[in-house]
Amino acid sequence: MIEGHVWKYGDNVDTDVILPGRYVSLTNPADLAQHCLEDLDAEFAQHVRPGDIIVAGSNFGCGSSREMAPLAIQGSGISCVIAASFAPIFYRNAINIGLPILVTQQVAAETKQGDILNVDLLTGRVENVLNRRIFQAEPFPLLLNDIIRSGGLLPYLTNNRQGLK
Amino acid sequence: MSMTLVEKIIADHANLAEVHAGEIVVVHPDLVLANELSGILAIETFFRHGRDHIFDPDQWVFVPDHFVPARDIRAANTARRFREFAYENGIQKYYELGRGGIEHVLLPQEGLIWPGALVMGGDSHTCTYGALGAFAIGVGSTDLAALMVSGELWLSVPETVQIVYRGTPSPWVEGKDMILYTLGQIGGDGAHGQVMEFHGALLRTLSAADRFTMCNMAVEGGAMTGIIPPDAVTQAYIVAHGNKYYDEKALSTTYGNAHKIIDIDITGLEPQVAQPFSPANSVPVSAIGDVPLDQVMIGYCTNGRLEDLRRAAHILAGRSVHPHTRLLITPGSQQVYQQASAEGLLDIFLAAGAMISPPSCGACLGGHLGVLGAGETALSTTNRNFVGRVGDVKSRVYLSNPTVAAASAVAGRIIAPQELPGLVSHPQQVIPTTELWSPLEVTA
Ligand code: SF4
């Protein structure tokens, strides 16, 4: 169970604003976190607290494939990103590094900046603590669920020595 | 059940008779690409999980191109570790500076891409190779690390949306305009997670260079990738670049089953300009208004091929860059650079007052070699104009084809090329004079 304050953003949040190109030579999540969302919301990196949740519209993480973007979010202590949809490469990257994500249009549409969400990552149940509304995120396909539960793609490969089957 | 072109390619690489959209399968790519930025993160992850040697060195291409020639000490050390890893692992296809270039211009040029190939790259514009009928997708660094471990990776089989072009555009239109217009029509997320499969009589006559430009920007429509069913143009390109023939029959039996078809009427289409801050924010160049330019950038992986530089040179010959404007030309590869030199294009650029940069991503991603300051405005032939993409958050970037960019560099503001006095024709009109053989045309 996760509970955290919501940072709310719109559609098409691209990886250039999540982690600007000028910083992509950094690789350590703690260093990356200092610049997370810098070009979209200068407040974010200063005020984000561990456990906070990002809620966004459609196509979150579009643009560059840079994995420094989800790493920066992870380094910021964000516990989960919930969006109406994710850009295909960001979706892969988040699952692969073990950054929890959930896909649901409803939460994206009906959540505001500063709301508090309670999230059950195992079931995809999301509750808005302020108004007690309950939402259900889309389930993940089987293999992806296994990767998520292993904590990411490399831990998964280590646990399953015969590979991705 | 029949399959789309991409489903067929994926099935071939997943060792399955059939795959269909929505399924998750494990594939073995023919080729995996890393640049020094996606590569270094992959290498760190690979080592952190206790691995030391790469599964199959022959599967890999390593191309340093983003922050090189090293822009600072950190970039130098990144490039050094990337190079050392390639050497230690016996990766033969490592392209050192001066012998390589920008990855998406380089790989097709080196004959590493063929129709029906499955390619994964640690870069979102890996989709460029769809121009040759390959299924090529961008992946992340952990994906690369997993491929280093096992040579295979999971993939969610995408739906295919066929984009069918109808009509004849204005003589100034290039592949770049067709894709900018398409993005404007469908939106920046209009092909979410899908494959954009390009069709239409006009498309069949487009040069490989224009096709690369179009597929390069499929990802800007939210697509997983773009693809152009192979035909005579594809065949001519791969043969000229020393690659193998492909099984035309195996691929050509599979096109007709798209999940969606979008018709795009390009009758009378004008060159397009994408306004800040989205490539999908495109308007006809005639509607752009007065946009004075501090900088114009021509080249990079979207429009840095020889044909693109010829177009720019056609405009710049005998003309000068506007006194208040800087023009940066970035050839896409060392080979393009050499050919441009041999054809005298570089002399034209230098005489016009342009600055020529080495083949490198440079300012395209706000790295180095021409980033923008606060309040500056640029017109660029690259693929993205997001907030802060080319430098300061308060800079603004417009996107266009190389002909419009060159004409605008002369004028010091965005103009249509025909506004330049004395310019009569486009150097390489895309409108066909003779019909090319095209047995694979969709009749939809
Ligand atoms: S030129 Fe620009 S878009 Fe192309 S690979 Fe380099 S950074 Fe990416």
Side-chain angles (χ1 to χ4, degrees):
Chain A
M1 260 342 171
I2 292 168
E3 196 163 290
H5 279 86
V6 168
W7 292 82
K8 182 73 197 294
Y9 301 105
D11 294 337
N12 298 313
V13 174
D14 63 76
T15 51
D16 271 274
V17 296
I18 297 173
L19 198 278
R22 54 192 180 273
Y23 306 122
V24 292
S25 56
L26 302 172
T27 53
N28 180 338
D31 298 337
L32 290 163
Q34 293 179 14
H35 305 289
C36 188
L37 287 162
E38 185 172 293
D39 286 355
L40 178 66
D41 178 1
E43 301 282 295
F44 178 86
Q46 291 172 25
H47 299 296
V48 64
R49 281 165 303 181
D52 282 0
I53 293 169
I54 291 177
V55 177
S58 62
N59 207 23
F60 186 85
C62 61
S64 162
S65 63
R66 63 186 66 152
E67 202 166 294
M68 297 79 180
L71 281 175
I73 292 174
Q74 198 173 43
S76 309
I78 285 289
S79 60
C80 180
V81 184
I82 303 176
S85 67
F86 290 89
I89 305 176
F90 188 95
Y91 181 87
R92 299 189 67 90
N93 286 344
I95 286 170
N96 287 343
I97 67 169
L99 170 68
I101 56 171
L102 289 178
V103 180
T104 139
Q105 299 217 344
Q106 265 198 316
V107 172
E110 298 178 30
T111 306
K112 302 185 304 297
Q113 174 82 17
D115 280 0
I116 299 170
L117 295 182
N118 182 298
V119 179
D120 184 345
L121 287 172
L122 289 180
T123 62
R125 182 181 177 278
V126 180
E127 180 179 352
N128 189 323
V129 174
L130 301 187
N131 60 19
R132 296 282 159 209
R133 293 210 47 187
I134 291 169
F135 307 91
Q136 181 61 44
E138 291 173 21
F140 288 101
L142 213 58
L143 172 65
L144 302 196
N145 233 337
D146 289 346
I147 295 173
I148 293 164
R149 280 167 200 219
S150 302
L153 183 55
L154 269 289
Y156 175 87
L157 283 179
T158 306
N159 298 343
N160 297 268
R161 297 210 166 266
Q162 60 283 52
L164 272 163
K165 299 287 163 25
Chain B
M1 222 169 130
S2 55
M3 293 184 282
T4 65
L5 175 55
V6 157
E7 286 169 342
K8 165 74 176 147
I9 297 173
I10 294 174
D12 286 349
H13 291 81
N15 244 325
L16 296 169
E18 282 194 16
V19 304
H20 296 286
E23 293 170 13
I24 298 229
V25 295
V26 176
V27 292
H28 184 98
D30 298 297
L31 195 73
V32 184
L33 160 73
N35 62 49
E36 85 272 26
L37 296 182
S38 60
I40 202 69
L41 203 50
I43 292 165
E44 286 179 3
T45 305
F46 184 71
F47 285 146
R48 197 168 58 243
H49 288 272
R51 310 292 177 141
D52 48 15
H53 273 76
I54 209 161
F55 177 77
D56 175 11
D58 291 340
Q59 197 181 17
W60 288 80
V61 193
F62 268 39
V63 185
D65 61 358
H66 275 59
F67 289 171
V68 291
R71 66 163 188 185
D72 56 20
I73 293 168
R74 177 186 287 277
N77 281 320
T78 297
R80 175 183 58 78
R81 290 168 58 209
F82 182 69
R83 177 184 309 116
E84 285 171 0
F85 184 86
Y87 289 164
E88 283 161 13
N89 279 279
I91 292 171
Q92 301 293 319
K93 294 187 279 288
Y94 169 84
Y95 289 92
E96 192 49 276
L97 306 192
R99 278 142 282 173
I102 303 174
E103 52 206 40
H104 308 309
V105 175
L106 183 68
L107 266 55
Q109 167 202 301
E110 293 298 306
L112 297 173
I113 310 294
W114 64 90
L118 195 152
V119 184
M120 290 176 159
D123 191 277
S124 58
H125 294 107
T126 302
C127 55
T128 308
Y129 316 137
L132 295 182
F135 175 65
I137 63 166
V139 296
S141 294
T142 300
D143 286 317
L144 295 183
L147 285 158
M148 288 173 177
V149 170
S150 67
E152 55 181 30
L153 195 60
W154 66 271
L155 177 74
S156 160
V157 180
E159 292 185 347
T160 290
V161 44
Q162 287 184 349
I163 312 271
V164 184
Y165 296 99
R166 300 190 190 279
T168 305
S170 92
W172 298 92
V173 158
E174 302 171 9
K176 183 63 163 285
D177 306 299
M178 290 172 59
I179 190 65
L180 287 177
Y181 182 67
T182 305
L183 294 170
Q185 294 294 301
I186 69 168
D189 194 24
H192 187 90
Q194 296 171 310
V195 175
M196 292 166 80
E197 191 182 274
F198 299 107
H199 291 273
L202 177 71
L203 200 89
R204 293 284 147 237
T205 66
L206 277 190
S207 71
D210 283 291
R211 295 173 176 205
F212 284 125
T213 302
M214 292 184 69
C215 288
N216 178 273
M217 294 191 70
V219 67
E220 316 311 338
M224 186 184 277
T225 189
I227 195 164
I228 297 179
D231 60 12
V233 174
T234 324
Q235 181 82 318
Y237 183 95
I238 62 166
V239 171
H241 292 81
N243 209 323
K244 45 180 119 172
Y245 288 87
Y246 63 100
D247 186 351
E248 186 181 292
K249 254 207 165 135
L251 293 180
S252 66
T253 51
T254 52
Y255 301 162
N257 313 297
H259 301 86
K260 190 173 164 192
I261 294 177
I262 299 180
D263 270 299
I264 299 209
D265 184 1
I266 47 172
T267 305
L269 184 73
E270 276 185 59
Q272 302 285 303
V273 174
Q275 300 173 289
F277 293 96
S278 163
N281 204 3
S282 56
V283 294
V285 60
S286 61
I288 200 75
D290 186 27
V291 182
L293 297 169
D294 298 291
Q295 180 162 303
V296 175
M297 301 151 68
I298 297 177
Y300 308 90
C301 75
T302 316
N303 282 110
R305 296 176 184 81
L306 190 61
E307 292 84 341
D308 298 308
L309 299 189
R310 285 183 186 144
R311 288 166 175 167
H314 177 79
I315 302 287
L316 291 165
R319 297 190 170 85
S320 299
V321 175
H322 190 275
H324 294 169
T325 304
R326 313 178 291 271
L327 172 58
L328 289 180
I329 309 253
T330 304
S333 71
Q334 184 80 3
Q335 192 185 87
V336 171
Y337 205 147
Q338 282 176 307
Q339 288 170 336
S341 168
E343 288 188 11
L345 309 183
L346 302 186
D347 290 334
I348 293 173
F349 299 147
L350 293 171
M355 179 163 232
I356 304 173
S357 121
S360 166
C361 296
C364 169
L365 81 159
H368 59 150
L369 298 168
V371 299
L372 299 172
E376 288 196 310
T377 300
L379 177 63
S380 175
T381 67
T382 53
N383 44 35
R384 286 189 181 134
N385 57 349
F386 300 150
V387 172
R389 170 74 180 182
V390 182
D392 196 280
V393 230
K394 295 210 177 68
S395 61
R396 295 168 66 80
V397 178
Y398 293 76
L399 306 175
S400 78
N401 75 31
T403 304
V404 170
S408 301
V410 171
R413 62 190 173 85
I414 299 179
I415 61 162
Q418 24 334 358
E419 287 179 48
L420 275 187
L423 192 65
V424 282
S425 73
H426 187 276
Q428 277 181 314
Q429 299 197 355
V430 296
I431 296 173
T433 45
T434 51
E435 262 311 304
L436 282 171
W437 172 76
S438 70
L440 309 180
E441 189 52 55
V442 210
T443 46

